[in-house]
Every structure is written in C-alpha cells, then in structure tokens.
C-alpha cells in the first residue's frame, strides 16, 4: 500500500510541469503571426487555413469579419459554432487548431540573434541553443523576457529554465567578469 501511494505521489509530482504547460496553452490567446485552421465537418466551403496579420481580422463566410487576436482557440470555436447554428446549420461541428505558432525572438548575447519558430516545451536554454548558443560574455542570471500578459506588455526577470511562449522577446544581457 505504501509503495502504491509513493508511486502515485511520484507520478503526480513528475507530471506537474506537463500539466502546468497544458494549462498555459489552454489559456493561449491567438496573436498576429499564428496560423489557424478552421474546419466545419461536412462543409468544405466553411473551412479555411490562414495566418493572422497585425490587425487579426479574418473574413469568415456567413459571419463576416471576426477579430480573432486575443481569443482562445476554444473561444473562436464557440463564436463560429454560435454564429452558424440555427440560421445556416442545425448542429455544426466546428474545430479550430493552431497549425503554426507565431515566432519568438532572442536578442543580446547569443551567437545568432533573431526570430525563430516556436516549439512546445521550449525553455530559454533551448532557445539560446537554437540561436547558436550563448556568447562568452553572456550572463546566465541577467535574462529578461518581454511578454504580453492579460493584454499588457510586461518585462519579466527570468532564469535559463523558464518556459518560452510564442511571441516572447528574450534579452540575454552581458556578464561582467
């Protein structure tokens, strides 16, 4: 019995980072640069795939212009479902998925600063590796991330193991020996 409880406790603790990441992505809001795919099963004329521009407005059949920046995937699904239900379809089966996340950017003391394709599970260390690695003068403690939180731009102090989100701007400062 004690062994079973210990195994269960280990599983819960070990899976917490995955759970925390899935919670983050359930709250993920769409932004410019994301590519979304909208599928209405059995209705090819209502399905589309598009990259969101800076304005974040898509022109959707029968519903017109929809501002999708700031919406979650689930929120967009519900909006389209409610808009099509009744007048056009009896019970539409709507699916919205993210085909490609917007890029993240890394500046400062990395060998190849710039924008890179986001990958789930990305940490600052992994982002720096994608950018060619840290330079010799890179500080491992003076790391800042510019991120939009609740619609506002914030600068967060970070460590090398912090999760990177799409659209983040990572700044690696210089270290003074």
């Amino acid at each position: 019995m004690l062994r079973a409880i210990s195994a269960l406790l280990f599983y819960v603790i070990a899976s917490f980072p995955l759970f925390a990441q899935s919670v983050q992505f359930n709250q993920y809001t769409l932004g410019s640069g994301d590519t979304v795919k909208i599928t209405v099963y059995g209705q090819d004329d209502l399905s589309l795939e598009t990259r969101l521009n800076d304005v974040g407005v898509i022109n959707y059949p029968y519903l017109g212009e929809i501002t999708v920046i700031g919406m979650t995937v689930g929120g967009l699904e519900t909006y389209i479902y409610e808009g099509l239900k009744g007048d056009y379809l009896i019970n539409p089966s709507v699916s919205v998925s993210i085909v490609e996340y917007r890029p993240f950017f890394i500046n400062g003391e990395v060998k190849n600063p710039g924008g890179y394709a986001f990958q789930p599970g990305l940490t600052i260390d992994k982002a720096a590796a994608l950018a060619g690695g840290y330079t010799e003068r890179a500080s491992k403690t003076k790391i800042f991330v510019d991120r939009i939180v609740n619609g506002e731009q914030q600068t967060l102090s970070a460590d090398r193991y912090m999760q990177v989100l799409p659209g983040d701007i990572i700044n690696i400062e210089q270290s003074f020996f």
Side-chain angles (χ1 to χ4, degrees):
M1 180 70 169
L2 184 58
R3 179 178 281 162
I5 292 172
S6 296
L8 179 63
L9 184 60
F10 174 77
Y11 174 75
V12 169
I13 291 171
S15 65
F16 182 75
L18 295 175
F19 173 74
Q21 184 174 350
S22 69
V23 168
Q24 257 181 346
F25 278 96
N26 286 341
Q27 306 290 326
Y28 179 74
T29 57
L30 299 170
S32 63
D34 287 332
T35 301
V36 295
K37 182 176 184 176
I38 302 169
T39 306
V40 180
Y41 295 104
Q43 303 293 324
D44 289 339
D45 58 328
L46 296 177
S47 298
L48 67 94
E49 183 174 314
T50 185
R51 179 177 301 275
L52 303 180
N53 60 20
D54 289 341
V55 179
V57 174
I58 61 171
N59 192 1
Y60 192 78
Y62 300 102
L63 301 180
E65 292 186 345
I66 304 171
T67 302
V68 297
I69 285 185
M71 293 179 102
T72 64
V73 169
L76 182 56
E77 275 181 5
T78 302
Y79 184 88
I80 293 172
Y81 172 83
E82 293 296 328
L84 295 176
K85 187 175 98 174
D87 291 338
Y88 186 70
L89 298 171
I90 294 170
N91 189 20
S93 180
V94 179
S95 172
V96 176
S97 59
I98 300 173
V99 175
E100 184 178 324
Y101 291 97
R102 60 187 174 268
F104 72 93
F105 300 88
I106 186 164
N107 300 314
E109 295 299 316
V110 290
K111 293 182 180 168
N112 301 307
Y116 292 89
F118 174 79
Q119 303 165 20
L122 200 62
T123 63
I124 290 178
D125 258 356
K126 291 176 184 176
L130 287 174
Y134 296 105
T135 65
E136 295 90 30
R137 301 194 72 180
S139 171
K140 303 296 191 310
T141 58
K142 293 180 183 176
I143 302 171
F144 301 95
V145 175
D146 293 333
R147 176 179 291 170
I148 296 178
V149 178
N150 297 324
E152 292 186 24
Q153 182 80 22
Q154 294 185 0
T155 299
L156 310 170
S157 182
D159 63 21
R160 297 172 30 207
Y161 309 104
M162 180 179 180
Q163 290 289 313
V164 175
L165 297 179
D168 278 357
I169 302 171
I170 304 164
N171 297 294
I172 310 292
E173 299 288 324
Q174 239 181 28
S175 174
F176 295 103
F177 298 97

